[in-house]
Amino acid sequence: PPSMPRLLCAVDPEGRSLLTRTYGGVASPSFPTVALLASVAAYADAAGTGALRRVSCDDGFQIAYRRSRGGVLWVLASGNGEDDATVDATLLMCERIAEGICGREALDCHAAARERGGAQRMKLALGACVAAVDRAMDERAPPPFAPCGVRHDRPAASLEGEHDPSASDFLEGVLSALPNVDRVAMARLSTMNDVEFAAASPGWNAMNEADALVVDAVLTSTPPGPCARDTPVYADGGRTPARLLTASAGGIAGRVTVAVVTGPSPTLEVFRAVVKLTNSKLSYH
């Protein structure tokens, strides 16, 4: 089904556009259009209280907005057919993905206002989360992304998963080789780039909702491929620098991915070697 026409903007307190994305066949907006949306949201924000606001317009659409902790104003223009809960969840989802990929500190408008070129730096930082935000905004995405972020009721993958014992054995091998790592999972990426976890460690399943949303967003927005990747992310709701390491293992190249959320160690080379060695020992299919 076609996506609902929507326009998403992130603007700073001065009304400068930091990120603009369109969906459902909407043409890229002009600068005056973005400025008008920002002005309407800023005016309503100053006149009210709370984190989320809405302005209903006569032409069958609404302008909803949410101000982040760092002062970024997330603005969503969409049809009036979207209910309040969906709009609220959509804006919160975008905010969390941005903070998880860029870090809260990089999206602090107050700090940016005190430095030369601060707005441009924030704009460049938000450019890193475009693919993940676009994927999350896709109405055709699977339930974990539609559109409220990670579901509270999503089944936790297990190392003892009877459905795929070979995946559990593989992760046991990776965990034993990387004793300082506890957040490991094996994900199957389909041709549509949907993600399904075949097995995961207890540490992976214990991630909070915001961190799990960011990891899922990065995994599903990254094209499958045989290359190992080291992607900077921020855990603990965008506060703690971390890394998402991924490498393909067994099966069709790039379709089965071993993912690790970790700190400074291991290096990508060590992680890649561990996955390769474990794969050769267990011959995962």
Side-chain angles (χ1 to χ4, degrees):
S3 298
M4 175 183 293
R6 288 181 293 177
L7 168 61
L8 175 71
C9 301
V11 297
D12 71 4
E14 302 300 321
R16 289 171 293 206
S17 175
L18 303 174
L19 177 72
T20 303
R21 307 300 297 167
T22 60
Y23 308 96
V26 177
S28 297
S30 63
F31 175 78
T33 299
V34 175
L36 176 61
L37 289 175
S39 297
V40 170
Y43 175 80
D45 184 49
T49 59
L52 180 73
R53 294 284 176 278
R54 287 178 192 80
V55 178
S56 295
C57 303
D58 294 334
D59 294 331
F61 72 95
Q62 64 178 344
I63 301 173
Y65 50 96
R66 176 187 180 85
R67 190 174 293 280
S68 72
R69 286 160 289 207
V72 175
L73 192 66
W74 291 90
V75 184
L76 178 66
S78 63
N80 278 323
E82 288 197 297
D83 61 86
D84 291 355
T86 298
V87 173
D88 188 9
T90 300
L91 288 170
L92 178 59
M93 175 183 68
C94 293
E95 177 187 331
R96 285 181 171 178
I97 290 175
E99 290 183 344
I101 293 177
C102 306
R104 284 191 192 180
E105 186 175 335
L107 301 181
D108 186 342
C109 293
H110 310 296
R114 296 192 296 268
E115 63 180 81
R116 184 176 181 180
Q120 183 64 21
R121 176 186 56 76
M122 291 181 63
K123 187 173 184 177
L124 292 174
L126 280 169
C129 70
V130 166
V133 168
D134 285 352
R135 172 59 180 168
M137 291 289 288
D138 186 356
E139 293 176 339
R140 298 165 299 176
F145 266 92
C148 301
V150 176
R151 295 172 298 172
H152 289 288
D153 62 342
R154 72 170 184 169
S158 169
L159 283 173
E160 293 75 37
E162 297 180 358
H163 60 288
D164 196 345
S166 58
S168 300
D169 291 342
F170 193 101
L171 287 197
E172 287 281 15
V174 173
L175 285 167
S176 64
L178 300 173
N180 295 325
V181 172
D182 66 346
R183 290 174 290 184
V184 186
M186 178 170 283
R188 301 179 186 277
L189 301 180
S190 71
T191 54
M192 294 297 294
N193 230 23
D194 298 339
V195 64
E196 174 184 316
F197 294 107
S201 67
W204 183 283
N205 287 327
M207 283 193 293
N208 62 51
E209 182 181 350
D211 292 351
L213 171 63
V214 172
V215 170
D216 281 7
V218 174
L219 287 175
T220 55
S221 61
T222 302
C227 298
R229 294 185 174 92
D230 186 340
T231 306
V233 293
Y234 287 80
D236 303 321
R239 290 186 292 266
T240 306
R243 297 154 63 220
L244 174 61
L245 305 180
T246 56
S248 61
I252 302 174
R255 294 292 186 245
V256 182
T257 298
V258 179
V260 167
V261 177
T262 184
S265 63
T267 65
L268 180 62
E269 291 72 20
V270 169
F271 170 67
R272 180 166 44 199
V274 167
V275 171
K276 184 176 180 180
L277 179 61
T278 306
N279 191 53
S280 64
K281 286 183 177 179
L282 298 180
S283 298
Y284 179 77
H285 298 294

